[in-house]
Amino acid sequence: MANGLVPYRDFNMIQMPLLPMLASVFLKLFGQEVIVMRFLAVCLITYIEITVFLILDKLKVKDYIKYLMLIFICYIITPYIAIDYNYMILAILLTIIYIEIKIYLRNEKILVFNSKIDFIIGILAGLCFTFKQSTGMCIILVSVL
């Protein structure tokens, strides 16, 4: 896509094309090198780690358990660092979970409907579908329910 090719017309692909489109923008800006894709992957993994840390912090998990969990996640992900649609869906799903936990704890554990927050969660769930259809549809169904 960074060379101007159009998915499904010029080449075939199985997954939805949003993540390759985002990656192609960075490849066009910074050059078509593997290091650009590695940098994007490291940014995505870092975002996942930070979001997990924020979720554990909101849940008031003890510090040593929090850090052990983050080290364990780093240990598991390290051999598989790549810009991948599964990691992107994980990042979006963790963002949705963080928003839900933040709203739940702020409203003192009562169910409150906020149209702005529900709209943001709906947009994020819809983005999941544009990265991978099967997992995205499950996330959309759970968000609707």
Side-chain angles (χ1 to χ4, degrees):
M1 286 186 218
N3 292 330
L5 299 176
V6 178
Y8 307 116
R9 187 186 72 189
D10 298 327
F11 60 93
N12 294 328
M13 53 189 312
I14 296 171
Q15 76 269 15
M16 297 291 279
L18 185 60
L19 186 61
M21 282 182 190
L22 293 174
S24 70
V25 169
F26 286 99
L27 287 172
K28 197 71 167 170
L29 289 174
F30 300 112
Q32 296 180 6
E33 303 291 331
V34 175
I35 192 72
V36 175
M37 295 301 285
R38 294 290 183 179
F39 180 74
L40 288 174
V42 168
C43 289
L44 184 60
I45 299 298
T46 304
Y47 179 77
I48 290 170
E49 290 283 331
I50 290 170
T51 309
V52 168
F53 178 80
L54 292 174
I55 288 171
L56 293 175
D57 194 45
K58 284 286 181 190
L59 294 175
K60 294 183 176 48
V61 175
K62 294 181 181 177
D63 283 341
Y64 69 92
I65 294 175
K66 192 179 341 182
Y67 295 126
L68 282 175
M69 189 172 284
L70 292 174
I71 290 170
F72 181 70
I73 291 171
C74 282
Y75 178 74
I76 290 174
I77 289 180
T78 300
Y80 307 107
I81 291 181
I83 189 80
D84 187 20
Y85 53 87
N86 291 318
Y87 288 150
M88 194 66 185
I89 287 180
L90 177 63
I92 292 173
L93 193 58
L94 286 172
T95 304
I96 291 172
I97 291 170
Y98 176 72
I99 291 170
E100 289 286 348
I101 289 173
K102 189 175 176 183
I103 296 301
Y104 180 74
L105 293 176
R106 184 186 317 154
N107 293 323
E108 298 171 3
K109 300 176 179 139
I110 58 172
L111 187 61
V112 175
F113 294 105
N114 186 343
S115 61
K116 291 179 191 175
I117 299 298
D118 291 339
F119 182 75
I120 291 170
I121 290 173
I123 293 293
L124 290 173
L127 276 175
C128 288
F129 185 78
T130 62
F131 291 113
K132 188 176 180 184
Q133 298 98 334
S134 58
T135 310
M137 188 54 73
C138 293
I139 293 171
I140 288 173
L141 288 175
V142 168
S143 294
V144 168
L145 294 176

